[in-house]
Amino acid sequence: MSCNPNGNEPLELLGALEQWALEYDCPCIDLEDDRQFVAMWGFCLIAALIFCTIVSCPFFPRCLRCCCCRRSRKPQAGGDPEAQRPNSKPRLEGAWEEEDGEDQAEPSIPKAEQHLKRTSATKDGEWRPIWSTALGDMAEIGGTGTELYFRLLRNLGIVFAYMSALTCASIAFNAVSNFAPDNGNALTKTTVGNIGATVQGTNIEPDQRYIILKDFDGKCSGTAVNKMTSILGWLDFSSIALFFVCILVFRFYIVPRVAKQSDDDQITPKDFAVEIDNLPRRFPGMEQADSFGSTAYERQLSELLCQRIRVQQTRERARAGAEAGDAPAVKVEELVLVRDFKGKLRKKKALADLKRELDIAQYIKDEKQVAKLSKRIEKMEKKVNEKLESEDALDVVRAYAILSTPKDAERLIIDYRFSVYGLLRRISQCLGNCGLFECCCPQRQRMFHGRALRIRRAPEPTNIIWENQDVPHVERKVRHALVMFAFLIIVLLSFTLVYLANAAAKSQTKSTTQLLGNDACDPEIGKINPDNTEYLCYVDTALNWTMSFVETATADEKACYCGAIGYANIARSTALINGVCRDWLIAVATGIGIGVCATGIVVVINVVAKMVLIQLSYAEKPLSYSALNAAQMVKIFALQTLNTGFVIFCVNFSPPDWFPLGSLIFLGEFSDSVRGWYVVVGAAIMSNMLANAVTPAASNVCVMIANKFQRWCCSKRQKHQLQLRQLYTNPEFDMAARFAQLLNTVFVTLAYSSGMPLLNAFACMYMFFTFWADKVVLLWGSRRPPAYDTQIPKQAADIMLYAIPLHCFFAVWMMGQPCTFPSNPLGGTLQSLANQGISSAGSTSNFAASDGVLDRGMKESTWMVFALLVLLVAVYILWTVLWILGGTLGEFFKAMFTLCCSRAKRIAPESHVEVQTWAMVKADIARDFPPASYMMEEHPMYKEAAQFMRTRTSFNERKNEKKAAMAPSDSAKTGDGGPDNATAQASNKDANQDAETARDVAADKAPSEARQED
């Protein structure tokens, strides 16, 4: 009964209040006193603040010690003089130098442990601490992409914590209610399908139910559900707006800022290097080598690069009024030509691996293995060397050049700034080759054997995939198209298999759908009972049955009764467990077991499909590990998201009649988000996401522990040092799989969090556990990753922007359901606009009129997310149109703008005492950020097999270094001694400049706009 009746309450409400008072053991229900609800909001606010603090503080372990995680670049009084030099970058403190003796065959565990530390993310030969290693240090370990991955985890963890705080009131009000059927899963009680108290045996409509709260004094208060839904709708809108802002800030502010700051703070080979494309593949006499092993191609290309740098130096000094004679000497410190191995470089590496295994077999005197490997090597050598010329005679694909100073690299990029556009490059090449006009002379001076070069900032050496460098651009595009077609087929096939596995499990599980007798609250009767042979279970009828009737009832009636009273009541009664509900409990347990088996089948399908998709990504032949991981990320993400978040939805979905082939594809009974949908679909999704919050982090840590245990057990059994080194090599830090799992968590969470707000807390748990687990695994259990650039985090942020309209769509679908989440319609001007839209849609769209999309979107709880959905759809359509135009006409307009309106960046001329040369920093880079070379044999993936590949370039490089160390003045005296000697003739000051510049540092960074992706 009501504590403050006014005589205007309908009889149905009075009867419901009386039942609620009996159920909650209250003398009456107060419908006007809101103090308990205010106390509930306050309690939720305090709990939310505590939760946010607990989650956020561990993400900032150094916030109390310093305001910024990065080292200050300001000079300090009395310290290392090198650290106080102006315009200098701080030295990195990463990996440490290799020691000799690693080619020995005798197993040595100390040497293997040293190898483990050299190939891992160590600092001065010691393992980095977990707690005090800042996010800025991640860029030193694995490039900007690795740092941005951890920053994204941290930011999303904090954002989802605040999203949980905003929606915690919804969780609280759902948890104290009992509208959803009791299926024994406590997670179902936290969904909006459970909001409000149910009333059995009365004529009150389900959409007119109340939320009842009881305080410690035994007093009960109640408020209508439709008064709370508008507030909960605004809280949900606030949470998705917070996520939207976070992704925008990350994509357009944090990524560029971190990339620039990391670029400023680190000295890497990329600072001194350029990538040269559109080279002539061959010309007569290009393979002729001098006494130092340098070919004519290398010498002539080095001379051209040095000439163009001197031209820029002359212009700079002329503008600044400096004397031309004071310009520092120009050198090409290293020039690496990428040869066309006809796609056989991967086979050469495999051949080197076989030779390494043969070396091991010969040492341990395994005659069987020696004979087997010898045959395989002989057969593979015939295939590799078939129709393949000597390396010097192979066609040239591109080149990587390391220059003396970072400003020299910047000068080349500025001089060839128009070459990044294919249109301008072709025009320049035509004008340069015609030779008819005087204005063409500058273009001819930039050309190399009739080719207009394209010069850009080079990637980091560890980010290059060497075996894909000789794949032509057109072939990569064709491969990409074919791989995408195969990807769609594999995803569709895996989705079908997972769907069939879940559908088969559902068909073997006999469940009784509980009906309220209200069309808005129940599934479609035609889907449940298409041929009028199935038993229909009405809850009100079942609850009125006596025990004597149930004991003599049919099996369907007993199942209906047991499902209606719920698991909680059955668990409290031994008579029900051993009596009328025994068979029903056995059937439910059987269904759970079948579901577990189906889940195991789904896991196997996902693992196999994931392995196939990874191999497909390799077939695209990307040029960098960043591009490879980005391709793998998209494919794995699509597979996991479909099979994790949407298969169970499709299995239980009942499409509208107008949907083509809907009755053949979808066999479910839920066409709407009714309360039974949350029991079947919602409970499964929430259980999966709860497991997802812990499982990835735990599995990664367990793998790391297993690897350490394997070394402890098997290290003394190895008979060759190479075997021991392989055992003491940590696995790769799989960036693609981690980003894919992150995207999967974000998409599934945002898709269903409007109706299941507890998913925000699960996503926060995932970010928190994964952040610390991956930090531990990276620092203590992974091989040092390549220097990833910003491509992967940029693409991940772009993909996450599409999760926002997905959230809005499902929010309108869930929070606009008239029975589960009742809400008042809009009033005033907004309502008149909604009516106009509905009437207009009714005359033009059967879908909008029949399904009530606009009607659902124009409620107090949904209009704001519906407006955001419409806005985002319009923005994405415009974005897509601009993307299409940018891929066609955009190149032309950019080229014209660059040609007509842009001005080259002016570089201040430097003196000898302001130059930081490659010779000064090479040793530091080799120690701190290896490798300090673009040689293929110095790449971490090829270093192990380098001694078995025996290429001419690596041999002569070592010979040149040895000669330079023994006779440093010989190269200056020789007129044809390779790239350095070709440039040494231009100046007689080369021998003294290194000594003059050994104390000085000045290195400006190249503009970010000069960096463009292939």
Side-chain angles (χ1 to χ4, degrees), residues 800-875:
M800 278 189 282
L801 288 174
Y802 290 94
I804 299 167
L806 181 67
H807 173 89
C808 295
F809 176 80
F810 275 92
V812 172
W813 185 66
M814 293 179 178
M815 303 178 75
Q817 217 284 332
C819 175
T820 304
F821 203 76
S823 180
N824 297 326
L826 285 176
T829 305
L830 289 176
Q831 180 60 34
S832 63
L833 293 175
N835 293 335
Q836 293 177 9
I838 293 173
S839 60
S840 175
S843 60
T844 58
S845 173
N846 292 330
F847 169 73
S850 60
D851 198 59
V853 174
L854 289 178
D855 184 47
R856 287 195 175 193
M858 291 303 172
K859 293 186 176 183
E860 291 182 350
S861 61
T862 58
W863 72 268
M864 66 290 287
V865 290
F866 183 72
L868 180 60
L869 173 63
V870 174
L871 177 63
L872 289 176
V873 170
V875 170

Side-chain angles (χ1 to χ4, degrees), residues 455-467:
I455 297 183
R456 301 175 294 178
R457 178 69 64 183
E460 294 291 355
T462 56
N463 200 21
I464 298 174
I465 304 179
W466 276 95
E467 56 262 38

Side-chain angles (χ1 to χ4, degrees), residues 266-344:
Q266 297 174 5
I267 303 175
T268 64
K270 183 178 70 173
D271 299 333
F272 296 81
V274 292
E275 179 184 5
I276 309 170
D277 286 317
N278 203 39
L279 288 163
R281 297 183 68 86
R282 60 170 58 243
F283 58 80
M286 70 172 190
E287 69 274 7
Q288 294 179 1
D290 57 16
S291 58
F292 285 89
S294 297
T295 62
Y297 202 117
E298 295 170 338
R299 294 195 302 273
Q300 294 179 26
L301 182 57
S302 299
E303 291 171 0
L304 174 65
L305 298 180
C306 294
Q307 177 188 355
R308 297 312 306 168
I309 294 174
R310 293 192 196 98
V311 170
Q312 289 295 318
Q313 282 183 338
T314 303
R315 293 175 181 173
E316 294 162 8
R317 305 190 77 80
R319 285 194 295 262
E323 298 182 8
D326 293 336
V330 178
K331 293 182 182 180
V332 176
E333 302 286 352
E334 178 183 87
L335 183 66
V336 178
L337 299 180
V338 180
R339 303 284 183 171
D340 186 2
F341 286 92
K342 310 298 182 184
K344 295 183 178 180

Side-chain angles (χ1 to χ4, degrees), residues 672-692:
D672 205 349
S673 56
V674 296
R675 64 177 199 142
W677 183 88
Y678 290 94
V679 174
V680 177
V681 181
I685 292 174
M686 294 187 71
S687 299
N688 290 340
M689 296 308 294
L690 177 60
N692 175 79

